Amino acid sequence: MTSKATRRRFTAEYKRKIVQEADACTQSGEVGALLRREGLYSSHLVNWRAARERGELAGLAPKKRGPKVQEPNPLATQLAAERREVVRLKAENAKLQLICDVQKKVSQLLGVTLPTMPEDDESTKRSS
């Protein structure tokens, strides 16, 4: 039974060391010998040099595979909080409406008249 192959991961320091050694090679065949000695492919060297040229310090470090984690949008967070608040307030409003309906029915059964709030309409405001 054979063990499952695992992906090799190279440290940033190792990558820098290999790129420096490859850059120091002056004679023909030295880079190939270096790659064979280390068990690397030429594509490793090409990718590591390109990352170095772009100035990506993190480009020489191993990268985590898989989908990138996106930072949450602060407006989306605020919108979600406000939607939760609206749902909470609607539920509270429904409870209060039920309480008012019960009070009206009890007052009708007992024959008690409940005080009403005068409505502010435009005609009463203009005559004052």
Side-chain angles (χ1 to χ4, degrees):
M1 191 170 163
T2 61
S3 63
K4 184 177 178 183
T6 57
R7 177 181 283 270
R8 294 186 296 171
R9 292 192 170 95
F10 304 105
T11 64
E13 188 57 41
Y14 177 77
K15 292 175 185 180
R16 283 188 205 101
K17 183 185 101 174
I18 295 298
V19 169
Q20 287 173 352
E21 284 184 34
D23 290 344
C25 294
T26 56
Q27 294 182 353
S28 146
E30 285 183 349
V31 174
L34 169 69
L35 294 176
R36 281 190 300 277
R37 183 185 77 217
E38 297 293 329
L40 299 173
Y41 295 101
S42 61
S43 62
H44 286 126
L45 193 56
V46 169
N47 290 336
W48 297 345
R49 280 180 174 164
R52 182 188 62 184
E53 294 301 319
R54 287 191 303 266
E56 297 176 356
L57 297 176
L60 291 178
K63 293 183 181 178
K64 186 176 178 183
R65 298 183 68 196
K68 306 299 181 235
V69 177
Q70 294 181 351
E71 294 187 22
N73 184 350
L75 294 178
T77 306
Q78 182 181 2
L79 179 62
E82 289 178 359
R83 285 182 176 167
R84 285 191 301 271
E85 179 71 7
V86 166
V87 168
R88 186 188 67 78
L89 290 173
K90 283 183 178 181
E92 186 177 338
N93 187 23
K95 288 177 190 176
L96 293 175
Q97 288 294 329
L98 182 63
I99 290 171
C100 286
D101 291 341
V102 169
Q103 284 179 341
K104 286 179 188 177
K105 289 178 182 176
V106 167
S107 68
Q108 287 175 350
L109 287 172
L110 297 176
V112 178
T113 57
L114 295 175
T116 58
M117 296 289 293
E119 294 194 25
D120 295 332
D121 69 75
E122 295 300 318
S123 61
T124 58
K125 287 183 180 180
R126 278 186 251 159
S127 62
S128 303

